[in-house]
Amino acid sequence: MWTRTFTAHVEGDGSPTTITFYREIPGGWKLDFRDAQGEHVANGDRWVETIDDLVLQLGNYTNSDPKWRTEDGDRVSFYAAVRECVLEARTS
């Protein structure tokens, strides 16, 4: 089982990239990096254990501040997305 998915579009390595993340319950965080054609970028399918690892992976990939959206297209801050994932995991 996993939480709701959050997505952002960034310029990664000079080309448009879609980043998606969610929290696996129980478990860690799933990160997915795809290019404009929908293919995984190098090492684009990642699983990390902690929120620290999630932030480090995102920071290592892009210097921009991604604008995150819910599955419904609503804008959400990174903090709000992570908070929702953590709280949902605790109640599941």
Side-chain angles (χ1 to χ4, degrees), residues 38-60:
E39 300 294 322
H40 278 114
V41 300
N43 296 319
D45 186 20
R46 304 174 190 184
W47 186 88
V48 296
E49 291 188 30
T50 68
I51 188 64
D52 291 355
D53 293 335
L54 177 69
V55 171
L56 285 170
Q57 289 292 320
L58 291 169
N60 287 337

Side-chain angles (χ1 to χ4, degrees), residues 13-89:
D13 298 331
S15 61
T17 303
T18 301
I19 303 173
T20 304
F21 80 89
Y22 59 86
R23 176 118 188 239
E24 293 182 348
I25 304 169
W29 299 86
K30 178 69 173 176
L31 268 170
D32 190 64
F33 297 83
R34 294 182 181 264
D35 62 20
Q37 291 75 37
E39 300 294 322
H40 278 114
V41 300
N43 296 319
D45 186 20
R46 304 174 190 184
W47 186 88
V48 296
E49 291 188 30
T50 68
I51 188 64
D52 291 355
D53 293 335
L54 177 69
V55 171
L56 285 170
Q57 289 292 320
L58 291 169
N60 287 337
Y61 190 78
T62 182
N63 289 327
S64 69
D65 186 15
K67 306 301 181 216
W68 297 97
R69 295 194 178 273
T70 67
E71 296 163 337
D72 301 323
D74 299 326
R75 291 187 72 159
V76 63
S77 71
F78 180 70
Y79 172 79
V82 168
R83 182 177 181 268
E84 179 181 317
C85 291
V86 169
L87 292 176
E88 186 175 326

